[in-house]
């Protein structure tokens, strides 16, 4: 009995003790409660109302959790290689992020927790005046414990205030409050007052959710009402209702048949609140450095 109790204690406290020995050890997971199963070899099944677990800055709740080791390795010797499968009303929190789904599979070796089953996440602003809550929905969402980044794949949607986005893949950097959308991405700013709906597409969309600014590159197209503007890249400021289109920029109004073309050395300025496009004969540099993801 004492031997079993000591093994359980070792499993429960090993992660916080080992975390002091190196960054890799912050991937070790601890699960609260008295498990059922083979304590030495695993797997161990945890149940509760709810089961609670912690790994690095992630806090996890679920109806059940199963911890296992690679085949042929005793669980007691597998720290850093263990997996934990959470099922039933899974909830994950980290700072201002809250994510939910029907299942979560965590792997200590990769430091990745993969949430599936109609995965959804919300990220709230630090202050009310900082903007709107960000909501992300996807079939699959991977949470990285080595940094505050999540990666969602497969028909991803993002919404924040009057902006909504769609993409095959979305990387959300919580520290930068920055979303990167790739794989046929599009971003829509809903109609507001006298402003018509604005849809922006390109090869890659980067959106700073706090400042409501966008950087879109690669075959960019802006469609608003009867106006279609194209170029190589665009910087859009939603608060100022202005878009700066650079690189082979051309705007065509299908109703008035008016075409506005930027000079070789210039760019187009499109006022989305005034439905006005003008060409400017000077260089415009998009502040791309503002849209860089955090480095690992």
């Amino acid at each position: 009995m004492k031997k079993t109790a000591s093994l359980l204690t070792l499993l429960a406290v090993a992660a916080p003790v080992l975390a002091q020995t190196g960054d890799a050890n912050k991937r070790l997971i601890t699960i609260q409660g008295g498990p059922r199963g083979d304590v030495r070899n695993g797997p161990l099944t945890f149940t509760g109302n709810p089961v609670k677990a912690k790994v690095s800055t992630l806090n996890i709740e679920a109806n059940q959790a199963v911890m296992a080791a690679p085949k042929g390795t005793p669980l007691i010797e597998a720290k850093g290689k263990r997996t934990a499968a959470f099922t039933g009303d899974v909830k994950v929190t980290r700072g201002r992020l809250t994510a939910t789904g029907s299942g979560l599979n965590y792997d200590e070796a990769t430091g990745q927790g993969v949430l599936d089953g109609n995965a959804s996440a919300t990220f709230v602003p630090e202050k009310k005046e900082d903007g709107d809550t960000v909501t992300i929905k996807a079939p699959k969402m991977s949470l990285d414990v080595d940094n505050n980044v999540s990666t969602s794949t497969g028909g991803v949607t993002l919404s924040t205030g009057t902006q909504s986005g769609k993409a095959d893949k979305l990387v959300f950097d919580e520290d930068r409050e920055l979303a990167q959308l790739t794989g046929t991405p599009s971003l829509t700013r809903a109609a507001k007052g006298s402003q018509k709906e604005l849809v922006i597409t390109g090869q890659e969309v980067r959106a700073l959710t706090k400042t409501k600014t966008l950087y879109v590159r690669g075959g960019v197209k802006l469609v608003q009402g009867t106006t279609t503007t194209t170029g190589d890249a665009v910087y859009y400021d939603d608060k100022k209702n202005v878009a700066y289109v650079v690189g082979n920029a051309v705007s065509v109004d299908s109703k008035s048949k008016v075409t506005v073309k930027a000079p070789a050395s210039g760019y187009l300025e499109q006022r989305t609140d005034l439905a006005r496009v003008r060409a400017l004969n000077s260089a415009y540099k998009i502040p791309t450095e503002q849209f860089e993801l955090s480095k690992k």
Side-chain angles (χ1 to χ4, degrees):
M1 183 69 181
K2 288 184 178 180
K3 187 175 182 180
T4 300
S6 65
L7 287 171
L8 281 172
T9 302
L10 181 58
L11 282 170
V13 305
V17 172
L18 289 175
Q20 301 172 11
T21 67
D23 290 340
N25 291 315
K26 71 180 181 181
R27 294 179 174 180
L28 300 182
I29 190 168
T30 56
I31 304 175
Q32 295 181 13
R36 305 188 313 272
D38 186 335
V39 175
R40 178 173 292 278
N41 298 303
L44 295 178
T45 300
F46 297 78
T47 55
N49 190 28
V51 172
K52 293 184 178 182
K54 184 174 179 63
V55 53
S56 187
T57 56
L58 286 180
N59 293 289
I60 306 167
E61 294 183 1
N63 293 339
Q64 178 175 289
V66 177
M67 180 182 283
K71 188 175 181 180
T73 303
L75 187 64
I76 197 69
E77 300 173 5
K79 295 177 185 65
K81 301 177 183 178
R82 300 173 298 185
T83 59
F86 297 86
T87 53
D89 298 325
V90 179
K91 178 181 177 182
V92 184
T93 58
R94 173 170 61 192
R96 292 182 280 142
L97 181 81
T98 300
T100 60
S102 61
L104 174 74
N105 292 298
Y106 177 70
D107 190 332
E108 289 182 332
T110 63
Q112 297 285 326
V114 181
L115 189 66
D116 56 24
N118 298 315
S120 177
T122 57
F123 182 78
V124 298
E126 188 173 10
K127 301 174 184 176
K128 187 176 181 180
E129 57 269 24
D130 283 345
D132 302 294
T133 296
V134 177
T135 301
I136 300 169
K137 294 183 179 181
K140 186 175 292 185
M141 184 179 299
S142 178
L143 301 165
D144 195 327
V145 303
D146 293 335
N147 50 53
N148 296 329
V149 173
S150 64
T151 301
S152 302
T153 54
V156 186
T157 63
L158 173 146
S159 61
T160 174
T162 59
Q163 293 184 357
S164 60
K166 295 180 180 180
D168 296 331
K169 179 181 178 181
L170 187 151
V171 176
F172 187 71
D173 186 330
E174 298 155 42
D175 294 334
R176 298 295 315 280
E177 301 188 38
L178 171 64
Q180 177 196 41
L181 295 84
T182 54
T184 61
S186 68
L187 194 132
T188 301
R189 203 285 319 278
K192 181 173 60 176
S194 61
Q195 295 187 60
K196 293 180 174 158
E197 179 186 80
L198 172 67
V199 179
I200 304 176
T201 57
Q203 291 181 0
E204 178 186 16
V205 174
R206 296 200 181 199
L208 286 166
T209 58
K210 180 177 179 179
T211 60
K212 300 287 187 182
T213 54
L214 305 176
Y215 165 46
V216 187
R217 66 172 188 84
V220 171
K221 181 187 287 187
L222 293 79
V223 179
Q224 185 178 35
T226 58
T227 301
T228 299
T229 305
T230 58
D232 295 337
V234 62
Y235 173 79
Y236 173 63
D237 189 324
D238 193 26
K239 291 182 178 179
K240 295 181 179 179
N241 300 301
V242 63
Y244 302 105
V245 187
V246 302
N248 304 301
V250 179
S251 184
V252 178
D253 190 316
S254 61
K255 184 177 181 180
S256 67
K257 307 302 181 183
V258 172
T259 297
V260 182
K261 189 173 183 179
S265 59
Y267 64 98
L268 294 183
E269 177 194 78
Q270 182 166 335
R271 285 292 302 269
T272 57
D273 56 340
L274 303 176
R276 185 190 72 193
V277 180
R278 63 172 180 160
L280 296 171
N281 191 18
S282 59
Y284 181 80
K285 184 180 182 301
I286 295 177
T288 56
E289 66 281 354
Q290 295 179 11
F291 297 90
E292 293 179 359
L293 294 166
S294 298
K295 296 180 180 179
K296 290 188 179 183

